[in-house]
């Protein structure tokens, strides 16, 4: 499975939209950081009412990537589940 993650990461570019399996906006790609997707800071509270995540970056494991389609990175988890799996730095 790690091999698949590396294959996906080579297709991921800056400013691609990251969406959950349900089509929910999770964030926007800043860049790949090792085997994680680093999301832009400006999207940290997008779609998450009452969010308190602004001002720092969030990361998603590339293991959550289901596919890269056009300018979107689709995750294997729904948006709310993926949001709960974000790593902060």
């Amino acid at each position: 499975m790690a091999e698949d993650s590396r294959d996906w990461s080579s297709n991921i570019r800056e400013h691609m939209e990251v969406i959950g399996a349900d089509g929910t906006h999770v964030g926007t790609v800043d860049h790949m950081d090792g085997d994680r997707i680093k999301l832009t800071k400006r999207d940290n509270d997008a779609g998450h009412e009452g969010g308190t995540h602004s001002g720092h970056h969030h990361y998603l494991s590339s293991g959550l990537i289901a596919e890269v389609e056009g300018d979107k990175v689709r995750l294997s988890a729904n948006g709310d589940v993926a949001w709960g799996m974000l790593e902060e730095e």
Side-chain angles (χ1 to χ4, degrees):
M1 181 163 243
E3 203 168 88
D4 289 339
S5 297
R6 282 191 291 263
D7 291 341
W8 289 127
S9 65
S10 66
N11 295 320
I12 296 174
R13 299 174 313 281
E14 186 179 3
H15 303 302
M16 292 180 88
E17 181 181 16
V18 179
I19 58 174
D22 57 353
T24 303
H25 177 82
V26 175
T28 304
V29 174
D30 187 339
H31 65 271
M32 288 299 297
D33 187 1
D35 64 347
R36 303 184 304 170
I37 300 171
K38 183 177 182 179
L39 302 177
T40 60
K41 286 183 183 181
R42 68 178 169 82
D43 256 352
N44 285 341
D45 289 331
H48 305 282
E49 203 168 310
T52 58
H53 292 281
S54 58
H56 52 272
H57 285 284
H58 289 93
Y59 298 82
L60 274 171
S61 167
S62 60
L64 290 172
I65 300 169
E67 63 184 322
V68 176
E69 40 184 49
D71 62 349
K72 296 185 189 312
V73 178
R74 183 175 297 275
L75 304 175
S76 58
N78 285 344
D80 59 341
V81 174
W83 186 251
M85 300 174 87
L86 291 173
E87 300 169 23
E88 298 180 9
E89 277 187 24

